[in-house]
Amino acid sequence: MSAAALAPGAVPPDLVRAQENAVVEMVQIGAVAEELADRFALAGHRLYLVGGSVRDALLGRESGDLDFTTDARPDAILEILSGWAEAVWDTGIAFGTVGARRHGSTVEITTFRADAYDRVTRNPIVAFGDSIEDDLVRRDFTVNAMAVELTADERRFVDPHGGLAALAAGVLDTPATPEESFADDPLRMLRAARFVSQLGLSPAPRVVAAMTAMAGELSRITRERVQVELTKLICGTHPRRAIELMVDTGLADQVLPEVPAMRLAIDEHMQHKDVYTHSLVVLEQAIDREEPGSPDLVLRLAALLHDIGKPDTRRKEADGRVSFHHHEVVGAKMVRRRLRELRYPKAIIDDVAQLVFLHLRFHGYGSGEWTDSAVRRYVADAGPLLDRLHKLVRSDSTTRNRRRAAALQRSYDSLEDRIAQLRMQEELDAIRPDLDGNAIMELLGIPPGPLVGKAYKHLLALRMERGPVSREEAEAELRAWAAENGLG
């Protein structure tokens, strides 16, 4: 067909084929995929590299796992993998998915799907499809609905929904209507926010509209699945953009309602639109203090949530100023409640809550008036979180007054210098009383029990207050304490 015979705006077939060939060349196919393709071809089946594996290859992003789809049914997949894979698992075989490992690479191979959904849960009524087009239309987003056929005589790029153009334009859209897609699986709305964070994509207007209208459907999803997506979102490259999308569409009301609630509390310094905006700036500044390429989930959560206690502690003072007394105490409790509800591990909950609890402690430092005892307590209370606390406190300075910002940083420099000096002198990271539990029991002649713990705490407080003392001084203090508490 000549170019003149084409419809207006149509692309000549030769040019289309050239573009497809160029895309295929961009997708580097590793040895494991080559071997797998040969085995499927010998068995008379088609095999496609699909979804995130293709998307990430086009973006130049590393992708540890390889996802494939095929016309082979699960039993045939297992037969093809037999004798080739070093390990095979079929936990997802009811959904048509078989996993395998070869030469350190993990692969997942799924039979073409043409599922329906009950739209009560997110569980599909599994139905196998007969074509790659059936499979791709059911995927979440067009950038994940691209495939490369590996078993054809000449590799073929398959992109029926314009995923490549969307990727080039930085647009996140759905193959079907977003209403259909999100009704099938509401978790896709949170995945949309996650891809905004990870890939820097912007959702299409119709996607935003559907997310806004259907945010309540996220309640159908288990908290564990929500937490997995939220964690990936927080640890992405652009978490602020994703959080703003969640707040604007109402998704945050379903996941982290304390975040949009901060829009109601005006920052006491009157330098920001609200505490919500301030918290987003603190998050970005905390990210800037991370080691490159090593997102810190605990630090990022603490930065985002450090002021969530402000709405509940907001008071208007007689002089017209707004105060948030003890918001760090209230906020730490709120953090524990929310992260538990999201099924985060206890260690993460404890660390984030402690950072929130401690984030204001520095502001009592003034211009360096803290005693050595106060510095010791600061270090002891932070424990292994001290480095993160340093980053959080420095990030919490968002004032536009350059002189004030510089003064705050100098003050914190001074505190860090004090900590370094005391650490050299006293091994602050391992502060212990000058007498251990065995010495306490021997000196007082008491058996193990609560009294030993009380004596230990007394000696620890003494250690914090005075620093190291001699054994004789410690024993004298312990005897005096025992006499005051009626131990003879």
Side-chain angles (χ1 to χ4, degrees), residues 100-322:
R101 185 179 298 111
R102 168 84 169 178
H103 297 330
S105 293
T106 299
V107 302
E108 281 198 348
I109 307 159
T110 303
T111 302
F112 292 157
R113 298 268 292 275
D115 302 334
Y117 289 79
D118 61 16
R119 298 193 174 178
V120 176
T121 67
R122 66 183 294 268
N123 297 323
I125 301 167
V126 177
F128 295 136
D130 297 314
S131 70
I132 185 65
E133 288 76 18
D134 289 343
D135 185 87
L136 295 180
V137 74
R138 55 167 285 278
R139 293 183 176 263
D140 53 2
F141 301 105
T142 60
V143 295
N144 295 331
M146 299 179 284
V148 175
E149 185 175 3
L150 305 182
T151 45
D153 292 337
E154 186 176 352
R155 284 181 185 145
R156 182 170 67 97
F157 178 58
V158 185
D159 182 21
H161 304 289
L164 180 62
L167 197 61
V171 173
L172 193 66
D173 206 346
T174 52
T177 67
E179 288 79 9
E180 291 177 273
S181 182
F182 300 156
D184 284 346
D185 184 359
L187 189 64
R188 289 173 173 174
M189 293 185 285
L190 196 53
R191 284 170 59 83
R194 192 243 289 184
F195 287 129
V196 167
S197 176
Q198 288 184 325
L199 306 178
L201 302 177
S202 298
R206 68 173 191 160
V207 170
V208 175
M211 290 170 69
T212 304
M214 303 176 68
E217 293 294 308
L218 199 61
S219 62
R220 289 162 43 191
I221 307 301
T222 65
R223 295 291 89 180
E224 290 83 357
R225 298 302 299 270
V226 168
Q227 183 248 100
V228 169
E229 290 297 328
L230 178 63
T231 295
K232 292 177 181 178
L233 181 159
I234 293 290
C235 291
T237 308
H238 311 282
R240 175 174 180 168
R241 290 178 54 187
I243 292 162
E244 288 174 331
L245 175 64
M246 289 175 62
V247 169
D248 291 344
T249 57
L251 279 182
D253 292 324
Q254 305 295 319
V255 180
L256 285 173
E258 296 83 359
V259 172
M262 288 191 289
R263 291 178 298 179
L264 304 177
I266 305 302
D267 186 88
E268 70 267 35
H269 303 301
M270 307 301 286
Q271 297 294 322
H272 302 281
K273 187 171 87 172
D274 52 21
V275 175
Y276 165 68
T277 303
H278 163 76
S279 298
L280 294 177
V281 174
V282 173
L283 171 62
E284 291 184 313
Q285 294 185 165
I287 291 171
D288 289 341
R289 289 181 164 84
E290 292 176 343
E291 292 296 323
S294 300
D296 186 335
L297 174 64
V298 167
L299 177 62
R300 293 186 182 199
L301 284 172
L304 176 64
L305 303 176
H306 74 285
D307 275 348
I308 63 170
K310 282 190 170 180
D312 286 355
T313 58
R314 185 185 185 200
R315 299 290 182 272
K316 189 170 183 179
E317 304 295 344
D319 62 2
R321 289 173 60 84
V322 175

Side-chain angles (χ1 to χ4, degrees), residues 249-467:
T249 57
L251 279 182
D253 292 324
Q254 305 295 319
V255 180
L256 285 173
E258 296 83 359
V259 172
M262 288 191 289
R263 291 178 298 179
L264 304 177
I266 305 302
D267 186 88
E268 70 267 35
H269 303 301
M270 307 301 286
Q271 297 294 322
H272 302 281
K273 187 171 87 172
D274 52 21
V275 175
Y276 165 68
T277 303
H278 163 76
S279 298
L280 294 177
V281 174
V282 173
L283 171 62
E284 291 184 313
Q285 294 185 165
I287 291 171
D288 289 341
R289 289 181 164 84
E290 292 176 343
E291 292 296 323
S294 300
D296 186 335
L297 174 64
V298 167
L299 177 62
R300 293 186 182 199
L301 284 172
L304 176 64
L305 303 176
H306 74 285
D307 275 348
I308 63 170
K310 282 190 170 180
D312 286 355
T313 58
R314 185 185 185 200
R315 299 290 182 272
K316 189 170 183 179
E317 304 295 344
D319 62 2
R321 289 173 60 84
V322 175
S323 69
F324 304 96
H325 295 308
H326 306 301
H327 74 268
E328 75 282 10
V329 178
V330 173
K333 293 178 181 178
M334 294 171 68
V335 162
R336 287 187 180 278
R337 184 166 58 248
R338 178 55 53 198
L339 297 188
R340 276 198 296 263
E341 195 269 340
L342 287 169
R343 308 295 193 270
Y344 273 100
K346 182 178 184 302
I348 290 178
I349 295 171
D350 288 345
D351 286 352
V352 176
Q354 184 69 350
L355 286 172
V356 171
F357 179 72
L358 294 174
H359 83 275
L360 279 188
R361 184 80 63 85
F362 157 72
H363 292 284
Y365 186 68
S367 301
E369 298 89 352
W370 274 13
T371 62
D372 285 352
S373 171
V375 175
R376 290 187 195 102
R377 290 184 183 280
Y378 189 79
V379 174
D381 288 348
L385 296 171
L386 183 61
D387 183 58
R388 285 181 171 126
L389 184 59
H390 289 333
K391 294 174 181 177
L392 176 60
V393 173
R394 288 186 181 276
S395 301
D396 195 24
S397 174
T398 60
T399 177
R400 296 173 186 172
N401 184 317
R402 292 185 179 181
R403 181 177 297 178
R404 173 175 166 75
L408 285 169
Q409 296 301 332
R410 284 195 303 271
S411 185
Y412 207 83
D413 289 342
S414 172
L415 176 57
E416 287 203 59
D417 289 342
R418 291 273 303 282
I419 291 171
Q421 292 166 9
L422 282 173
R423 178 177 281 125
M424 290 177 62
Q425 297 167 13
E426 306 177 13
E427 298 183 358
L428 276 183
D429 291 334
I431 288 179
R432 298 289 186 273
D434 296 283
L435 299 175
D436 63 15
N438 289 328
I440 291 170
M441 289 187 288
E442 181 180 351
L443 186 67
L444 298 183
I446 58 176
L451 278 177
V452 178
K454 291 179 180 179
Y456 186 92
K457 289 181 180 179
H458 171 73
L459 290 176
L460 180 59
L462 179 72
R463 174 72 170 79
M464 289 287 188
E465 187 66 33
R466 297 189 191 174

